[in-house]
Amino acid sequence: MAGPGTWSLPVATVIILLLPRSLEECGRISLPTPTVHLGDPITASCIISPNCSHLDPESQILWKLGTELQPGKRQRRLADGRQESTITLPHLDSPWVLLSCCLRWGNSLQILDQAELQAGYPPAAPHNLSCLMNLTTNSLICQWEPGPNNHLPTNFTLKSFKSRGYCQTQEDTVPDCVPNDGQNHCSIPRRHLQLYQNMGIWVQAENALGTSKSPQLCLVPMDVVKLEPPTLWALAPSPEVAAPQPGCLLLHWEPWKPSLYIEQKCELRHQPQLAEASWALVGPLLSQTLRYELCGLLPSTAYALQMRCTRWPLPGQWSDWSPSLTLTTTQQAPIVTLDTWWRQRQLDPRMADVQLFWKPMPLDKYSGQIQGYLVRAPDQAEADPPLCNTTELSCTFHLPSETQEVVLMAYNTAGTSHPTPVVFLESRGPPLARLHTVARDPHSLWVGWEPPSPRPRGYVIEWGLGPPSPSGSNKSWKMEHNGSISGTLLQENIRPFQLYEITVTPLYQDTMGPSQHIYAYSQEMAPSHAPELHLKHIGKTWAQLEWVPQAPEPGKSPLSHYTVFWTNAQDRSFSTVLNASSHGLVLHGLEPASLYHVHLMASSKAGAANSTSLTLMTLALEESELHVLLGLFGFLLLFTCLCGAARFCCRPSRKNPLWPSVPDPAHSSLGSWVPTIMVEETFQLPSLRDSSMPPITKITVLEEEEKKPGPWESNDSSGTCGLPTLVQAYVLQGDPRAPSTQPQAPSITSDQVLYGKVLGSPTGPGPRHYLRCDSAQPLLGGLTPSPQFYENLWFQTSPLGTPEPLIPNQEDDCVFGPLLDFPLLQGLQVHGVEGLGGV
């Protein structure tokens, strides 16, 4: 075992506690030794008595460590009939564990005996042992640090002895001091102490694994005395004590009464009540004076102060710091500059009314607090009453007209600030230009201007509620000292929906410029309501509306436009937009005898508002007007039907129109045309391509068809012209030079209208004639009930079956004559008639 003053290595141990036996005390756990090192092996045995009659003689003993079955057990029968089981645990790593000896009992384990195992370290040597002599309890109090946890119950004992010299020899033993469980300090009462004699003191720690002790401390009890802190307070001014200077504090303290006869020294520390401020230490302060003037502090600043004392010049321990005392240093005179502005009104030729405004601008953050302001004339004596003595930031006073200057000062208990001269300047400078405002948000306004030339030294900006508020009431103001700026932001006393009058005045070196005014809103409201609609006149298809524009409202945005909405009975809506200067509207395009709902919306930049709805009904139509309209409608319907029928009948795409489109040859220019080729000359077809000759586009040769007259046919030739045996018809249609991609049928279509007919046989010797009519109708001999597709002439036959020409009647507009009268047919020759046979 280590002796006093030495330190031993930790050694592990195991303690086994026996629990109450079960199963009629048949089994028992035993250990060869009560202690083992932590992590070392441990051996345990369990012996079952043969007196247990209800046990199987060959019962198997099982071991459990905690809740786990342990292997490696050995079981044998002793000579006296007992059964013994032995187990060795190779490493005991847990500080506490429960070991159980068990038997199998049916399907479960029956515990015969249990032992509690605890493991830990031997105690470490206590350290940092210190002792203080407390004069209040009149005892020596020692404390220490026990060291790391060793997992085992440890007992600490404070041991001491009296000695002469430096504790090398022990004379008288002092009774041990045993602290309460869990405590690391202990007190030696006064009766066991020699206040001025050396004492050897140490702490001993002991547990099941060993003992250790701290280094020995040798001391004299009075050399380690610890005083109680003094009582600290401020020293009040009195006739004997002058008031402290600015930045100073007068302090007084009183020592702890039991230490009044002990020589001591003290220390003072102070800390300003400011963010992140640290403590400053002042000392040593000797106890003979018991007062101290602390200077070098910030004026008008609160400080926390604490003091502690110790035995001096003899050894001793510092007392604790006294409770904090909070004091505020005296203030100094205000260190400020004052921005000033004024309004002056002439009462009479000799007296003027002056309203002076000012704003303090501190030059030092530790400037003294301002308690009031003084306004004096420049030559006024100190004893004379001032023009103003106020705590406000404005003052009104009367001043002789010849006085153009006053002096303004701020003061407090420490004195007054430097005087600020106020000169009432005349307005002789150039004005500002282009004064304008912009609303930044509902609580601020930007005021801009164009700096004049020469540049001012500054500007004064005033703002307050505009009309109808009284002029000059509750106005705010500010001064800008930079003459080169072109605007400033107003953020003080700005509220939305209020009209503000803003005044800007330029300040020059010896004069000022005229004030410029502007009105502005920081935020405007939408119109509260729209004008009421009135119906002035109404008709069958129109209605005239009017309204009375409202006067501008304070705080309301000016109207930008009107919108009129109207809805008919079918919920169809219509609208129109009018400018803000409009006061009426005529609605057109309404339906007669119809109901309409109309309302007006007045809009501005801030929003819109609707008027009440107006319901109106247009007038109904009169009976005469209704008849006229019905007649017009019937006429239009009839005209439309006629046009449709005509278009249907005359459409060129129809196969059989009701009547053909016949050109009038009587008014044709062909009558004046004479060909250069005579009749006797041979007419060559290639000459048809001659561009100087009008073309004959189509020649149709019709054969005579024998047929007997029907019951509806008549042999009467009245109204007809005589026709030859063979008829050749010529039709002028289109341009013959145009190429044709499809062969033309030999039949005459409905588009081909005969206005000229050549009569005679192409093989006969007689001359040929023509038949021409001035009528625009087709040249038909009579009504044909069902003509063939090639029949457009009516043939008359004699009783013998030979055709007979018809003699034209004078009542018809037909002309019968030779071909010489018709120049177009002078060059007519017929070819390819050989195949006609006996036609």
Side-chain angles (χ1 to χ4, degrees), residues 704 717 720-728 757-761 769-771 779-782 792-797 802-808 816:
E704 181 182 11
S717 61
T720 62
C721 298
L723 298 176
T725 305
L726 186 61
V727 178
Q728 296 178 355
K757 301 178 183 179
V758 180
L759 306 179
S761 176
H769 296 79
Y770 73 90
L771 176 65
L779 301 179
L780 302 177
N792 53 4
L793 292 177
W794 186 262
F795 290 91
Q796 299 290 340
T797 57
T802 59
E804 295 181 359
L806 296 175
I807 305 300
F816 185 80

Side-chain angles (χ1 to χ4, degrees), residues 278-299:
S278 58
W279 290 95
L281 189 63
V282 179
L285 305 177
L286 300 180
S287 60
Q288 287 82 358
T289 58
L290 299 181
R291 67 174 57 184
Y292 182 72
E293 184 176 11
L294 180 62
C295 291
L297 306 177
L298 299 175

Side-chain angles (χ1 to χ4, degrees), residues 655-676:
K655 296 291 183 179
N656 298 306
L658 298 179
W659 60 83
S661 178
V662 180
D664 189 1
H667 300 87
S668 174
S669 62
L670 296 177
S672 61
W673 175 78
V674 178
T676 58

Side-chain angles (χ1 to χ4, degrees), residues 245-459:
Q245 297 296 320
C248 293
L249 290 174
L250 283 178
L251 302 176
H252 176 72
W253 69 91
E254 181 179 345
W256 179 50
K257 289 183 178 180
S259 65
L260 288 177
Y261 303 101
I262 299 176
E263 298 244 352
Q264 50 189 295
K265 64 179 180 180
C266 301
E267 287 181 345
L268 177 70
R269 67 176 183 178
H270 56 85
Q271 181 186 35
Q273 300 297 299
L274 302 174
E276 300 181 358
S278 58
W279 290 95
L281 189 63
V282 179
L285 305 177
L286 300 180
S287 60
Q288 287 82 358
T289 58
L290 299 181
R291 67 174 57 184
Y292 182 72
E293 184 176 11
L294 180 62
C295 291
L297 306 177
L298 299 175
S300 304
T301 305
Y303 280 85
L305 300 104
Q306 292 179 333
M307 179 174 278
R308 66 178 183 177
C309 297
T310 185
R311 188 171 176 239
W312 187 85
L314 299 175
Q317 297 289 327
W318 283 102
S319 68
D320 296 329
W321 289 103
S322 66
S324 293
L325 173 66
T326 302
L327 297 176
T328 302
T329 55
T330 57
Q331 60 182 351
Q332 57 184 356
I335 306 176
V336 295
T337 180
L338 298 170
D339 289 339
T340 59
W341 181 239
W342 71 92
R343 297 191 189 101
Q344 195 170 15
R345 181 171 59 92
Q346 200 70 30
L347 297 177
D348 53 55
R350 301 180 57 187
M351 191 65 65
D353 181 76
V354 179
Q355 190 176 9
L356 184 63
F357 306 92
W358 58 85
K359 285 186 177 181
M361 308 296 292
L363 299 178
D364 190 339
K365 65 178 180 179
Y366 302 115
S367 173
Q369 185 177 3
I370 297 176
Q371 295 179 342
Y373 300 92
L374 295 174
V375 180
R376 295 180 179 273
D379 54 353
Q380 188 176 6
E382 293 289 336
D384 296 337
L387 296 175
C388 280
N389 184 358
T390 178
T391 58
E392 305 294 331
L393 297 177
S394 63
C395 178
T396 302
F397 52 89
H398 297 317
L399 200 65
S401 299
E402 62 273 9
T403 304
Q404 297 297 322
E405 184 180 353
V406 294
V407 176
L408 176 65
M409 294 174 292
Y411 69 87
N412 60 14
T413 55
T416 60
S417 65
H418 292 291
T420 300
V422 182
V423 181
F424 305 118
L425 302 175
E426 296 182 2
S427 179
R428 297 194 303 264
L432 294 175
R434 298 175 57 85
L435 186 64
H436 59 278
T437 62
V438 177
R440 292 291 181 85
D441 55 64
H443 297 281
S444 67
L445 277 171
W446 170 264
V447 184
W449 57 82
E450 187 174 308
S453 181
R455 290 294 176 89
R457 64 177 176 86
Y459 303 92

